[in-house]
Amino acid sequence: MTDISNIQVVDNVSVLRTIEDASIKAVMTLGYYFPGDGGGGIYSYQDGDNWTEDSGGNVIISTNKVRHWRLAEGSAQSVRQFGALGDNQHDDTDAIRRALEQGVLMVPEGNYLITDNTLLKHLCSFRGAGALIYNGQSFLVGPIHSTITIHVPSTFATLAEAIACVELFEIHDGFCNIQVADGTYEVTQMSPQINIGPRVAVLGNTSTPSNCVLKIACTNNQSCFNLEKGHSLGKINGFTIQGYNGHADNGTWNSECYGCGIHVTDGSSVNIGGAMIINDMYYGIQAKFGASVNCDEGIVINRAGDCGVHAYAASIKCNGIKVTDCRDGTSLGFGVTAEAGGFVDATNSEATGNYKAGFYSNGGHMWASKCKSHNNITHGFYALNGGMMEANNSEANDNPDCGFVATDGSYLLAFDSKAERNNYGFGAWHASAMDINGATANNNRIHGFIVANHAVMFHPSTSTNNATDGWHIRGNSMYAADSLTGSGNGGNKVYMTGRGMLSTLTNFTASEVNTEVVVN
């Protein structure tokens, strides 16, 4: 306990430093700078203490370096005892920094002007009714219960610095927005590890995303945003992510340039707003291993390598997305992909100019209804290796191979879908099945419909003005339908060979069918 029987009262800490009278064991300061400024307290003399350093607050050393004074037990301790005034005029940066070094976290009511943004990292560690004022913006101390905004570059110079700050926040029932101003920013991979990430949004220009550009070198397999280990973000929106140094010559990619615009893995999740453009990243949006991605309509992905959208043992909802010109050499280049049990809902989306396929399910499950897949270099809609695809009311035009194809044990639904000016309109191969109720194949360069190698198609369809056959069935395969409508095909309406079979067909005449047909 402090002996206050011989206590002396002084105006401030500066006077305390000048006391040399050995008989004085306790001093009450009326303020830190002046009486009533809130920084006063009772100090006791520490006899024999010659090693404790002057903290500028709870430990004060006399000017002659002889007497050590310590703030008495039970005396209030806050940033005020370290020289902070909270008047929104005095620079309280050093005082708050000194308090932090001593573990003092109380910030009484007031507006504390700071010039060091790193103090904002401790915002939620502080307690009290005060606010830190940085660059004209007020930040209430303590856990976040409302919506606050961190600005880039005015609050923090870089997006990475802003994210690092928010990682330390304690967000209760509030929200935090990181708002990035228009401009072009060179970035490296950012891996946010934010508590209660769904309450945090990273935002650029949500009206004109081309005005807020994040440039990233594709080297070292960097991704722009990398969410892993269960960490999440509430929203990413309003940016153009622009990769560079990834593309090589002839449609190939440089090695170790296989990163993503947005990469989400290991049970992490993110919501992606519709005002996003992702250019020249090997993967535009990729989710892996139990991750979940939800996209608003309107995202555009251009010139990826392997895939524009890729769900690998994970799920992505990306209705209304547009993916163009994905390619890496002659074996990769898919617009939207579900793979290895992954799921993609790409309803009402568009894929053009992709090297292998616009929509691709390789052992995954995809909803690709009401979609358009035009001018891809190989296929429009492609299900492979047990993949499942629902591509109802969709269109596949001007693809050099198949508009719609299922192969190697896959299943594809294409109710009321249309295929025009492909080599083949609809094709099922190798123990696959295709349900094409109401589908139409017009003006394709070979066949309208082809079923081959132990495959099956079923339900009525229409095939007109294709260069060869309307329906071509071969290799122990079967087409089952109540009726077929066809005209103007260059070869046969229906051509069957190699144990191909039509089942329950009623609306054609014998003269329209090749002599190798078997009709049940």
Side-chain angles (χ1 to χ4, degrees):
M1 297 293 292
T2 301
D3 180 6
I4 61 172
S5 60
N6 187 26
I7 191 167
Q8 181 166 330
V9 179
V10 299
D11 283 348
N12 54 48
V13 168
S14 295
V15 177
L16 173 64
R17 293 184 187 278
T18 66
I19 296 176
E20 299 181 4
D21 186 344
S23 67
I24 299 175
K25 303 298 184 181
V27 176
M28 176 185 291
T29 60
L30 299 179
Y32 194 90
Y33 300 106
F34 50 85
D37 66 10
I42 297 175
Y43 290 82
S44 61
Y45 171 61
Q46 304 296 298
D47 191 18
D49 184 354
N50 296 316
W51 58 85
T52 305
E53 295 183 357
D54 191 325
S55 69
N58 54 5
V59 176
I60 300 295
I61 299 177
S62 63
T63 304
N64 63 7
K65 309 296 184 183
V66 173
R67 297 177 67 82
H68 286 60
W69 301 92
R70 183 178 293 274
L71 202 59
E73 294 181 16
S75 188
Q77 291 196 41
S78 74
V79 295
R80 296 285 182 107
Q81 275 68 47
F82 289 80
L85 288 178
D87 61 359
N88 201 18
Q89 296 181 12
H90 177 264
D91 185 352
D92 291 328
T93 302
D94 289 340
I96 294 174
R97 191 182 290 121
R98 290 193 296 265
L100 273 172
E101 290 172 354
Q102 299 300 311
V104 176
L105 302 174
M106 180 57 64
V107 181
E109 186 175 358
N111 295 307
Y112 296 82
L113 185 65
I114 61 172
T115 55
D116 178 5
N117 60 10
T118 63
L119 292 179
L120 294 176
K121 295 181 179 181
H122 305 279
L123 186 69
C124 295
S125 298
F126 291 121
R127 294 295 181 263
L132 304 185
I133 309 299
Y134 180 77
N135 202 20
Q137 187 177 355
S138 177
F139 299 90
L140 289 173
V141 303
I144 296 170
H145 295 280
S146 58
T147 298
I148 70 168
T149 301
I150 301 292
H151 292 276
V152 177
S154 59
T155 309
F156 287 94
T158 70
L159 179 53
E161 290 175 357
I163 290 173
C165 174
V166 175
E167 286 177 343
L168 301 173
F169 282 0
E170 183 182 341
I171 304 174
H172 285 189
D173 50 352
F175 295 89
C176 179
N177 295 328
I178 300 175
Q179 181 64 60
V180 183
D182 286 357
T184 298
Y185 303 86
E186 184 78 25
V187 301
T188 56
Q189 178 170 293
M190 295 170 285
S191 300
Q193 299 181 33
I194 298 173
N195 295 322
I196 318 183
R199 292 184 175 271
V200 176
V202 182
L203 306 173
N205 189 324
T206 56
S207 297
T208 312
S210 58
N211 288 351
C212 192
V213 181
L214 305 179
K215 289 185 63 178
I216 182 166
C218 296
T219 51
N220 299 317
N221 297 325
Q222 287 194 108
S223 296
C224 187
F225 291 95
N226 177 54
L227 289 161
E228 57 186 355
K229 300 178 182 178
H231 294 290
S232 303
L233 275 177
K235 182 79 78 173
I236 301 172
N237 196 25
F239 298 101
T240 293
I241 298 175
Q242 180 62 60
Y244 66 93
N245 289 343
H247 281 291
D249 295 331
N250 302 318
T252 60
W253 282 68
N254 294 315
S255 62
E256 304 302 316
C257 291
Y258 309 130
C260 314
I262 300 174
H263 177 245
V264 191
T265 188
D266 300 331
S268 297
S269 64
V270 67
N271 294 300
I272 305 173
M276 290 291 297
I277 302 169
I278 303 175
N279 298 327
D280 303 299
M281 302 295 297
Y282 198 73
Y283 299 94
I285 298 169
Q286 184 183 58
K288 297 171 66 178
F289 307 125
S292 175
V293 176
N294 182 70
C295 302
D296 295 338
E297 293 191 16
I299 297 171
V300 176
I301 299 174
N302 301 311
R303 301 181 301 278
D306 187 357
C307 308
V309 175
H310 186 213
Y312 187 97
S315 66
I316 298 176
K317 181 180 179 182
C318 56
N319 295 175
I321 201 166
K322 183 177 181 180
V323 185
T324 68
D325 301 319
C326 299
R327 180 180 182 182
D328 181 9
T330 58
S331 60
L332 298 173
F334 303 91
V336 181
T337 299
E339 189 172 7
F343 170 74
V344 174
D345 179 358
T347 304
N348 199 36
S349 295
E350 183 175 346
T352 61
N354 303 288
Y355 193 82
K356 292 296 292 185
F359 297 87
Y360 177 52
S361 179
N362 181 5
H365 188 175
M366 181 178 294
W367 294 351
S369 295
K370 300 180 181 179
C371 290
K372 296 179 180 180
S373 192
H374 302 328
N375 297 107
N376 299 288
I377 311 306
T378 310
H379 305 302
F381 297 84
Y382 184 19
L384 175 71
N385 293 329
M388 297 182 66
M389 183 180 294
E390 299 177 37
N392 302 319
N393 294 288
S394 293
E395 298 178 7
N397 300 334
D398 302 295
N399 302 287
D401 203 320
C402 282
F404 297 81
V405 58
T407 187
D408 297 331
S410 298
Y411 181 64
L412 193 151
L413 282 77
F415 289 7
D416 299 313
S417 292
K418 298 179 181 180
E420 297 185 353
R421 298 181 301 279
N422 310 282
N423 272 2
Y424 304 95
F426 297 80
W429 276 274
H430 303 295
S432 295
M434 187 177 290
D435 190 340
I436 52 174
N437 190 22
T440 302
N442 300 322
N443 298 299
N444 295 287
R445 288 179 290 276
I446 302 179
H447 305 310
F449 298 85
I450 180 170
V451 196
N453 303 107
H454 303 276
V456 60
M457 282 186 183
F458 44 94
H459 284 137
S461 57
T462 299
S463 188
T464 62
N465 300 315
N466 301 287
T468 308
D469 298 328
W471 292 266
H472 186 96
I473 309 166
R474 70 170 188 255
N476 294 289
S477 297
M478 182 177 72
Y479 192 112
D482 293 334
S483 63
L484 300 177
T485 301
S487 63
N489 298 294
N492 301 276
K493 178 177 180 180
V494 179
Y495 180 85
M496 303 183 67
T497 186
R499 296 183 180 179
M501 182 184 303
L502 273 173
S503 177
T504 321
L505 189 65
T506 60
N507 76 334
F508 70 99
T509 63
S511 63
E512 293 175 307
V513 182
N514 183 275
T515 56
E516 296 183 59
V517 164
V518 175
V519 180
N520 295 324

